[in-house]
């Protein structure tokens, strides 16, 4: 094992430990331990991917757009496209049969 791969493994372990601690949240969206963007990247998207692969139904009526709007405002992003994408996702999830 090279020094570089050992260091990368140690960084991964620290990140995994911190991430595991962040997941101990009892709040919706892990809002007290993760940013909205972290929650989206590390929880929502992988869960949706898993559900699709297992041919499970996705959640109905997610209503995630307000969280996306707040996250965009907090980070002062000048990109309404992100909110539009979450709005489209909300619409898609609310119209599934």
């Amino acid at each position: 094992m090279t020094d570089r791969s050992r260091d990368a493994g140690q960084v991964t372990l620290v990140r995994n430990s911190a991430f595991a601690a962040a997941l101990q949240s009892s709040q919706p969206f892990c809002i007290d331990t993760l940013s909205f963007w972290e929650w989206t990247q590390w929880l929502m998207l992988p869960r949706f991917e898993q559900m699709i692969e297992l041919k499970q139904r996705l959640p109905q009526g997610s209503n995630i757009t307000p969280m996306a709007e707040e996250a965009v405002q907090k980070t002062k992003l000048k990109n309404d496209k992100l909110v539009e994408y979450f709005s489209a996702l909300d619409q898609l999830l609310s119209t599934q049969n």
Side-chain angles (χ1 to χ4, degrees), residues 45-92:
L45 293 177
R47 179 66 179 131
F48 280 16
E49 183 178 14
Q50 179 186 41
M51 293 173 82
I52 290 167
E53 287 175 1
L54 295 173
K55 298 184 181 351
Q56 295 176 341
R57 291 182 58 97
L58 293 173
Q60 293 182 314
S62 72
N63 198 24
I64 198 166
T65 302
M67 290 293 296
E69 290 171 335
E70 185 176 330
V72 166
Q73 286 178 342
K74 280 184 180 178
T75 55
K76 297 183 170 76
L77 293 173
K78 303 270 192 247
N79 191 341
D80 291 333
K81 277 291 186 196
L82 289 169
V83 174
E84 288 177 29
Y85 292 140
F86 282 102
S87 180
L89 179 62
D90 279 345
Q91 287 182 321
L92 178 68

